[in-house]
Amino acid sequence: MRSVLFVIANLEYSGPARQLGVLATGLPRDSFHVRVAVLGGETPWATSLRRAGVAVEVLGWRRPFDAAPFLALRRLVQALRPDVLHVWGATALRAVVLTGSRAKALWVSAALSFTQPIGWMDRWLLARVGGVIAFGAAEAERYRRLGVADTRLTLVSPAIPVETSTVQPAELPGVTAADRVLLGLGPIKPHKGFHKAIWAFDILRHLYKDVHFVLVGDGPDRPRIEHFARQIGVRDHVHFLGNCIETAPLLRRSDMVWVPSLHGGGVCAALEAMAAGRPVVASRLPDLAEIVVDGETGFLVEPNDKAALARQTRLLLDDPQRRQRMGESGRQRVREHFTVHRLVEACGRRYVGD
């Protein structure tokens, strides 16, 4: 039995948090004892993991110079003495390394920011981990450019479960059953491109009066987007739902999913859409191009190209059969290339030292 402790800054909706959840619930219980340490506060996903039988320790970090959560992390690691520490994100990596937390094996994922330049400390921290688990070839290449040798690098495909049971579509306030829904999955941060996407939505609203844009998640860019939507007169058709535990009913209700990232990210949102049988209109970025097959499971457009986002969306709004065909192709692609079994097997081998 190998003990694994996952450490992450928070469990709000994000790709790293989603992949952590897939692994934490997917690792076989007869071979791995899994716990999760969250530097931040309680979230719906923390509750969801506990319901799935995963122990979650919330350390309550809220202020930049609050040392108590980091000391609590050190005590937790000392008490558990895990065989494996798998750290998610640069903040969690700093916390683990700088508090002197130790384990027989230290792995890191999602340690590179899409919005901040890589500094000397990031390189220094990466040099102190036993290995890096990269979710995709584009991410692996970014680590190589920082000097991470192939011997310390493990390439895996991200994963998402495909629903096998019937999911009832969500009821959305202000949206009738006949209306059409474009869905965006957070977090709502500037580099996710949702502010720019409102421009594209405004174009579409002049053509389709029954279209709504629904945003799931929260983040620092939400007030700016709300203000802009109000300013250009589309606020009644742009809906903010905040953080949600279950995205499946929302995906079931949607007609397609937008992933308009400007610099990176959005892989998990694209995968969730495809697993739910929904076409994706996403930015043509290296990570997303590994997921979305242009013209087959959705469309790829240049980042920040508002006209192209509206144009490709219109092709799908005008052609229900194409939407269905692309959605089914996306679901099949997830079943073939992005399975939970494959991710769990690949990471499990690393955790036991193979």
Side-chain angles (χ1 to χ4, degrees):
M1 176 75 70
R2 304 282 287 181
S3 59
V4 180
L5 177 63
F6 292 127
V7 183
I8 193 168
N10 65 70
L11 278 177
E12 295 170 357
Y13 187 95
S14 67
R18 190 71 171 100
Q19 295 306 298
L20 181 155
V22 168
L23 268 176
T25 55
L27 286 167
R29 302 294 172 84
D30 57 349
S31 301
F32 298 95
H33 181 259
V34 177
R35 295 177 75 100
V36 177
V38 183
L39 297 179
E42 286 285 354
T43 63
W45 274 12
T47 303
S48 178
L49 280 176
R50 290 193 189 101
R51 287 176 182 162
V54 179
V56 180
E57 302 280 347
V58 173
L59 305 181
W61 182 41
R62 292 179 179 84
R63 301 184 305 276
F65 300 104
D66 184 4
F70 298 95
L71 296 175
L73 173 64
R74 182 175 182 176
R75 289 193 296 268
L76 179 65
V77 174
Q78 288 174 339
L80 296 177
R81 301 178 65 186
D83 296 305
V84 177
L85 261 174
H86 189 165
V87 183
W88 301 75
T91 300
L93 179 58
R94 292 187 192 105
V96 166
V97 174
L98 297 178
T99 58
S101 302
R102 295 283 186 268
K104 294 177 183 176
L106 175 59
W107 292 89
V108 67
S109 294
L112 304 181
S113 170
F114 290 111
T115 59
Q116 300 294 328
I118 301 299
W120 67 267
M121 177 169 277
D122 300 290
R123 296 173 186 271
W124 181 81
L125 291 169
L126 282 173
R128 269 140 190 82
V129 302
V132 175
I133 296 179
F135 286 82
E139 184 178 333
E141 185 55 34
R142 289 195 291 274
Y143 283 115
R144 288 190 187 99
R145 289 200 295 267
L146 290 173
V148 178
D150 284 342
T151 53
R152 297 174 55 231
L153 191 59
T154 297
L155 174 60
V156 300
S157 294
I160 212 77
V162 176
E163 287 283 347
T164 55
S165 57
T166 302
V167 176
Q168 294 300 316
E171 294 184 7
L172 300 170
V175 180
T176 71
D179 289 339
R180 291 180 286 183
V181 172
L182 313 176
L183 188 66
L185 298 173
I188 306 177
K189 297 181 178 180
H191 75 279
K192 293 294 184 179
F194 292 125
H195 182 270
K196 305 294 184 184
I198 296 295
W199 286 97
F201 182 72
D202 186 40
I203 296 171
L204 293 167
R205 280 286 299 141
H206 284 87
L207 302 170
Y208 308 96
K209 303 304 179 185
D210 63 341
V211 173
H212 294 254
F213 185 28
V214 175
L215 271 170
V216 179
D218 214 337
D221 211 29
R222 175 172 170 172
R224 185 171 72 117
I225 296 173
E226 287 191 83
H227 175 73
F228 182 55
R230 193 176 295 111
Q231 205 173 31
I232 64 174
V234 299
R235 182 64 183 85
D236 289 345
H237 284 75
V238 178
H239 309 268
F240 297 84
L241 303 187
N243 291 317
C244 301
I245 296 180
E246 295 294 337
T247 57
L250 297 165
L251 287 160
R252 183 77 173 86
R253 177 61 185 86
S254 70
D255 292 271
M256 71 192 76
V257 173
W258 272 2
V259 188
S261 303
L262 300 178
H263 307 298
V267 163
C268 220
L271 276 177
E272 291 212 63
M274 289 162 56
R278 293 295 178 264
V280 181
V281 185
S283 296
R284 191 184 300 277
L285 294 168
D287 300 85
L288 286 167
E290 293 178 28
I291 307 298
V292 180
V293 180
D294 191 23
E296 183 178 322
T297 67
F299 292 118
L300 294 173
V301 300
E302 294 304 314
N304 199 23
D305 190 336
K306 298 174 279 289
L309 179 59
R311 182 171 58 250
Q312 299 304 78
T313 300
R314 188 180 181 187
L315 290 177
L316 292 171
L317 288 172
D318 288 345
D319 193 342
Q321 290 184 334
R322 176 183 274 182
R323 286 204 308 271
Q324 183 175 0
R325 186 168 64 250
M326 284 186 162
E328 286 303 319
S329 294
R331 187 178 313 192
Q332 187 60 32
R333 180 164 167 77
V334 172
R335 286 195 181 113
E336 291 177 0
H337 301 286
F338 304 102
T339 66
V340 173
H341 173 75
R342 184 179 295 181
L343 174 63
V344 167
E345 189 177 61
C347 290
R349 286 199 302 268
R350 293 296 173 262
Y351 295 160
V352 299
D354 288 352

